[in-house]
């Protein structure tokens, strides 16, 4: 009877420990759920918005293409159209501040108005690397009355490409977030000790807490020894340790503070 009771008590103890670990893990994930949902909501909204606008942009491309086909352009003029389109489609302008972009769009809009073209396409052209010099060279090959339709077609194509790139960025961001959650929880791996990359676990943990850090305007940097060895451990449980430590640090630091995460090997 004593042996049986001891075995039962040991089994119960193991079950309680396992249950406690599971509950702690679920509580941690619960704390992260709001931040992860917010992180996913932003790119999801961008993807939905981009897909909706893409349908409208494709309709505009088709309409502009039919209008361009009806134009009687010479071969030289068609080459000029293709050259300007190549600049718009293959080379993108560097990132600009809102003020710089507004100034650029205004300058292009003024040029279009001065050349009897539609200023409405200025926004699309401003997102590309096309310059006023490019537009001047383009206008030199066409008569003023022939500028409106080709520029409309080029701008419509630029809009489609920009929207497609926006959707790609948004969906890639969602994929990265889902992959981070899977790595963090080790949900796709067996619950046994395995060789674990500490660098990856720390990076995933900081990424999971990114929304909380941004809410407090806290800068978080990671400094990990380049040749840090891998260790055999329970990756999911170890990530819980990183989560608690960094989460506590974010709670303790003030607004616009700084949290530094470092990992080095100490040889005894």
């Amino acid at each position: 009877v004593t042996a049986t009771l001891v075995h039962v008590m040991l089994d119960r103890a193991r079950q309680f420990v396992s249950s406690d670990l599971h509950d702690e893990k679920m509580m941690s994930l619960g704390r992260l759920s709001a931040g992860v949902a917010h992180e996913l909501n932003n790119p999801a909204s961008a993807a939905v918005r981009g897909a909706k606008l893409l349908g409208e942009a494709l309709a505009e491309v088709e309409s502009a293409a039919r209008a361009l086909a009806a134009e009687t352009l010479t071969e030289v003029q068609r080459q000029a159209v293709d050259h300007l389109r190549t600049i718009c489609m293959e080379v993108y302008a560097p990132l600009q501040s809102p003020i710089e972009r507004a100034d650029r769009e205004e300058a292009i809009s003024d040029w279009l108005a001065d050349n009897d073209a539609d200023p409405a396409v200025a926004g699309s052209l401003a997102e590309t690397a096309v310059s006023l010099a490019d537009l001047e060279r383009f206008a030199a090959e066409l008569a003023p009355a022939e500028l409106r339709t080709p520029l409309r077609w080029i701008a419509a194509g630029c809009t489609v490409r920009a929207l497609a790139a926006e959707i790609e960025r948004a969906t890639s961001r969602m994929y990265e977030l889902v992959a981070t959650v899977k790595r963090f929880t080790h949900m796709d791996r067996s619950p046994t000790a395995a060789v674990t990359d500490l660098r990856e676990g720390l990076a995933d943990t900081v990424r999971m807490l990114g929304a909380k850090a941004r809410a407090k305007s806290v800068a978080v940097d990671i400094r990990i020894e380049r040749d840090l060895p891998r260790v055999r451990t329970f990756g999911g449980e170890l990530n819980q340790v990183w989560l608690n430590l960094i989460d506590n640090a974010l709670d303790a630091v003030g607004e616009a503070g700084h949290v530094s995460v470092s990992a080095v090997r100490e040889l005894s």
Side-chain angles (χ1 to χ4, degrees):
V1 172
T2 302
T4 301
L5 291 176
V6 169
H7 284 300
V8 171
M9 292 174 62
L10 289 175
D11 289 341
R12 291 284 180 86
R14 280 194 293 267
Q15 291 175 5
F16 290 151
V17 171
S18 177
S19 178
D20 288 343
L21 289 174
H22 182 268
D23 291 344
E24 183 181 352
K25 193 171 186 178
M26 294 305 296
M27 290 174 62
S28 298
L29 289 176
R31 294 199 306 269
L32 290 173
S33 61
V36 173
H38 179 73
E39 291 286 308
L40 284 171
N41 183 65
N42 288 338
S45 299
V48 171
R49 181 180 64 252
K52 181 178 179 180
L53 294 175
L54 184 60
E56 301 173 1
L58 287 172
E60 171 62 13
V61 168
E62 294 175 359
S63 176
R66 287 194 295 268
L68 182 63
E71 295 286 334
T72 55
L73 300 179
T74 65
E75 182 61 27
V76 173
Q77 291 172 332
R78 291 189 181 278
Q79 290 177 2
V81 172
D82 289 339
H83 178 68
L84 186 63
R85 181 176 182 273
T86 298
I87 296 175
C88 291
M89 298 292 284
E90 294 185 359
V91 183
Y92 283 84
L95 295 177
Q96 306 167 352
S97 68
I99 295 178
E100 291 173 335
R101 188 193 176 285
D103 291 342
R104 174 175 165 77
E105 183 175 343
E106 183 179 359
I108 294 177
S109 179
D110 291 342
W111 185 92
L112 293 171
D114 292 341
N115 288 270
D116 296 325
D118 186 5
V121 304
S124 297
L125 295 178
E127 298 289 347
T128 73
V130 65
S131 64
L132 294 179
D134 294 324
L135 292 173
E136 288 289 354
R137 286 190 290 270
F138 175 69
E141 300 292 341
L142 286 82
E146 297 172 331
L147 289 175
R148 180 177 290 265
T149 299
L151 286 174
R152 176 193 171 196
W153 176 68
I154 292 171
C158 293
T159 300
V160 167
R161 177 157 183 156
L163 289 172
E166 179 182 344
I167 294 173
E168 181 182 4
R169 286 192 299 269
T171 53
S172 296
R173 175 61 178 157
M174 288 188 287
Y175 174 82
E176 291 171 1
L177 286 170
V178 172
T180 297
V181 173
K182 289 181 64 177
R183 287 194 304 267
F184 179 82
T185 58
H186 284 240
M187 64 172 58
D188 57 347
R189 305 179 192 180
S190 60
T192 58
V195 176
T196 302
D197 186 349
L198 300 181
R199 183 186 302 271
E200 182 181 80
L202 283 168
D204 288 340
T205 304
V206 171
R207 195 174 295 116
M208 293 284 285
L209 291 168
K212 183 173 182 177
R214 286 192 294 274
K216 295 184 66 175
S217 300
V218 174
V220 181
D221 69 273
I222 305 178
R223 290 178 293 207
I224 301 177
E225 183 179 311
R226 182 181 299 275
D227 299 324
L228 194 67
R230 297 188 174 206
V231 296
R232 180 171 292 277
T233 184
F234 296 89
E237 283 70 13
L238 189 59
N239 284 344
Q240 296 298 310
V241 176
W242 309 143
L243 176 66
N244 291 334
L245 290 172
I246 300 174
D247 191 33
N248 290 339
L250 290 175
D251 287 335
V253 73
E255 293 287 335
H258 179 265
V259 172
S260 179
V261 182
S262 61
V264 297
R265 174 176 48 182
E266 292 186 357
L267 300 177
S268 58

